[in-house]
Amino acid sequence: MAQKNDHVESVRAVRQLRRIRPVYAGGALLWAASAAWTGWDDPGSRQMWVSVLFLVVFTGLLSVTSLWLWRQQTAGEGRFVHHAAPRRTVPGRHANA
């Protein structure tokens, strides 16, 4: 039973990471543009270094998320996934004569 719960939690985690990955990519692009802009206007300023720091953070989040999803995908290739509930035989309720 623990495997079933682990599988459900794993599926939920994969779904959430797939949804958040574009947010991390957008954040990385935004902070890359901000770092380039502030680096062009005022190189070495505090705003430029903060933008670079956020760029590193969002790039790290994006790479860790992508790596985790890639590992989940390669680990799940060999498994057969059941999407429906397993069929169980219902024992008879009548007493034998």
Side-chain angles (χ1 to χ4, degrees):
M1 184 134 169
Q3 284 183 334
K4 185 175 181 181
N5 287 342
D6 290 344
H7 177 70
V8 170
E9 289 174 5
S10 174
V11 170
R12 287 180 187 161
V14 167
R15 188 179 314 131
Q16 288 174 352
L17 286 175
R18 283 187 183 148
R19 287 181 183 169
I20 201 69
R21 192 170 39 177
V23 174
Y24 292 157
L29 288 174
L30 174 74
W31 289 111
S34 176
W37 183 274
T38 56
W40 183 265
D41 281 346
D42 193 13
S45 67
R46 181 177 293 187
Q47 289 84 9
M48 185 201 77
W49 289 113
V50 169
S51 296
V52 169
L53 175 69
F54 280 120
L55 172 63
V56 169
V57 168
F58 274 92
T59 304
L61 287 170
L62 179 63
S63 61
V64 167
T65 302
S66 297
L67 178 67
W68 196 85
L69 285 171
W70 178 73
R71 283 186 179 175
Q72 285 294 102
Q73 181 182 3
T74 56
E77 286 178 352
R79 291 187 299 193
F80 182 78
V81 179
H82 294 281
H83 294 288
R87 295 183 181 148
R88 298 182 188 166
T89 59
V90 178
R93 295 183 181 225
H94 299 285
N96 291 336

